[in-house]
Amino acid sequence: MRMTTLRFLPVLALAMATGFAQPKSTVPAKASGTPVAAIWLEFYSDFQCPFCKQLYEGTLRQVIDNYVAQKKVYLIHRDHPSPAHQYARKAAGLASAAWHVNPEKYERVCAALYGQQDTWMANGRIEDAVASVMAPAEMQRVRQLATDPKIAAEVQQELDEGIRAGVKVIPTMIITHGARRQAITGTVSYEILHKYLDQLLSK
Amino acid sequence: MRRRWVVPFLRILVAAVFLFAAYTKLRQSWLIFAMSIDAYGLLPPWAVMGVARTLPWAELAIGVLLLAGWGLRYAAAAATALLVTFFGVMLWAYAQGRGIDCGCFGIGEVITGATLMRDGLLLVCSAALTLAMFQRRRTIRAI
């Protein structure tokens, strides 16, 4: 009995190290970094939301450079399109399709969608923002895939899972470190978020 | 007779709310509260950190003073001043469509019409207590 317990100890340790308490989703994670990072940061957002743009450009870009690239944080994008935003679902669908076509470029697609938000919100041409990052052949596949009901279902499923996880507003970040999950809503400046991440990493 | 209970009731109510608010903030990392304040987008980061470190202690002090009955006029006036500020910034954030936590009792409470109503009611109670405290002093002086 004792031996059996001991045999499972390495498995348990590995499970804890790789995020035993991390939320499980059936939707493939559109993520940057490594899942063995000490902190998981789930970013629930909507590409048409101005506060999400502010959080992504003002804060998360620096988190990507200073924490995700250093394998300290695993950043997961979770689509949470608001029904109040006309293009939010289409943008989420195109971004998800881009992830399926070339996951390596997903972060650049997000940056382009937020960076050109004002333009496509005015003219409705969301594809142009995605096309500014993807190669023409890739973009053709993105267009085909974006119309696939499977992509729309994935966006809906991610939205439903977000609601079940307690996400009420966007942007919301759920920061998981060990067994502790902390939801942070709204736009938070990098100066403060990085102190919090450092505090978690020092534990 | 009925009026005799109003002031102690208001005092205990406001004190309990302030003590609970302080407790919920002090039991977690001050940086979590700092992120709640930061989400309002009203203060620069250095000011946010200053407020996050001091406000829970100020709430605790006000709660203790109200409960103990020391410096009641000042404690009630300070509570009202703080509640006016909180209510004002919450109303501003709500009108702006910022989907953020109110930061009232730790984290996880998004600003809604209900939270505004609750804080508005608390503000009325605190203002009534302050008024009663100052009126009582004037009455004592007149005697």
Side-chain angles (χ1 to χ4, degrees):
Chain A
M1 174 68 185
R2 202 169 170 192
M3 282 305 288
T4 315
T5 313
L6 286 174
R7 209 180 305 152
F8 282 107
L9 268 179
V11 179
L12 186 68
L14 184 70
M16 286 174 84
T18 54
F20 187 76
Q22 313 295 2
K24 297 282 176 278
S25 172
T26 48
V27 180
K30 299 182 286 274
S32 295
T34 167
V36 293
I39 297 172
W40 280 30
L41 193 160
E42 292 168 86
F43 175 44
Y44 288 87
S45 65
D46 166 338
F47 289 106
Q48 203 179 335
C49 148
F51 298 114
C52 301
K53 171 188 162 83
Q54 215 177 319
L55 180 62
Y56 184 79
E57 293 183 337
T59 305
L60 292 180
R61 293 297 309 166
Q62 293 183 76
V63 170
I64 291 167
D65 292 344
N66 301 330
Y67 290 87
V68 175
Q70 309 295 321
K71 298 179 180 176
K72 294 173 182 169
V73 169
Y74 184 50
L75 173 67
I76 308 162
H77 292 266
R78 303 262 192 229
D79 288 315
H80 206 83
S82 163
H85 293 151
Q86 188 187 357
Y87 301 120
R89 266 181 195 268
K90 195 179 174 190
L94 279 164
S96 291
W99 181 83
H100 280 281
V101 170
N102 187 350
E104 306 261 303
K105 285 189 177 175
Y106 182 73
E107 211 59 65
R108 286 171 61 196
V109 168
C110 292
L113 281 167
Y114 284 121
Q116 297 169 44
Q117 191 190 65
D118 292 343
T119 311
W120 58 258
M121 267 170 64
N123 64 20
R125 295 174 62 172
I126 311 161
E127 282 183 21
D128 291 355
V130 182
S132 68
V133 174
M134 307 297 276
E138 288 176 329
M139 195 56 211
Q140 207 173 344
R141 288 175 59 204
V142 168
R143 283 195 190 97
Q144 283 171 354
L145 202 54
T147 56
D148 190 330
K150 189 185 112 188
I151 294 291
E154 269 183 21
V155 172
Q156 183 60 46
Q157 201 179 332
E158 212 161 39
L159 177 66
D160 293 342
E161 284 178 3
I163 293 165
R164 279 199 295 274
V167 175
K168 293 175 192 143
V169 290
I170 45 164
T172 291
M173 291 182 287
I174 296 185
I175 297 174
T176 309
H177 178 255
R180 189 186 167 88
R181 294 189 85 202
Q182 185 70 59
I184 313 283
T185 59
T187 308
V188 177
S189 59
Y190 178 73
E191 285 90 334
I192 293 168
L193 182 62
H194 96 86
K195 278 183 189 290
Y196 181 60
L197 296 176
D198 286 347
Q199 191 182 65
L200 291 179
L201 288 167
S202 70
K203 281 180 185 168
Chain B
M1 178 67 184
R2 199 186 298 165
R3 216 180 149 187
R4 270 178 56 194
W5 292 101
V6 173
V7 170
F9 171 75
L10 290 177
R11 234 181 75 194
I12 290 166
L13 175 77
V14 177
V17 170
F18 269 75
L19 288 173
F20 182 63
Y23 166 74
T24 57
K25 286 163 194 144
L26 291 169
R27 67 195 276 266
Q28 64 189 12
S29 162
W30 68 274
L31 285 161
I32 292 172
F33 182 46
M35 286 190 276
S36 288
I37 302 169
D38 195 33
Y40 281 92
L42 287 167
L43 298 171
W46 62 266
V48 165
M49 287 188 254
V51 172
R53 277 184 183 276
T54 53
L55 188 62
W57 294 106
E59 288 178 336
L60 181 70
I62 290 170
V64 169
L65 288 174
L66 286 175
L67 208 60
W70 299 324
L72 272 178
R73 283 183 304 136
Y74 303 110
T80 306
L82 274 181
L83 287 168
V84 166
T85 312
F86 297 159
F87 189 70
V89 295
M90 279 171 66
L91 204 61
W92 176 83
Y94 187 68
Q96 279 228 320
R98 282 178 180 259
I100 57 171
D101 274 353
C102 80
C104 313
F105 304 106
I107 211 152
E109 194 186 7
V110 176
I111 300 175
T112 59
T115 48
L116 283 169
M117 182 91 86
R118 182 199 61 200
D119 277 40
L121 273 172
L122 189 66
L123 172 59
V124 170
C125 290
S126 184
L129 178 67
T130 310
L131 204 68
M133 288 295 110
F134 279 91
Q135 271 180 346
R136 183 188 282 180
R137 185 176 165 89
R138 223 178 293 157
T139 314
I140 293 167
R141 270 189 185 164
I143 292 167

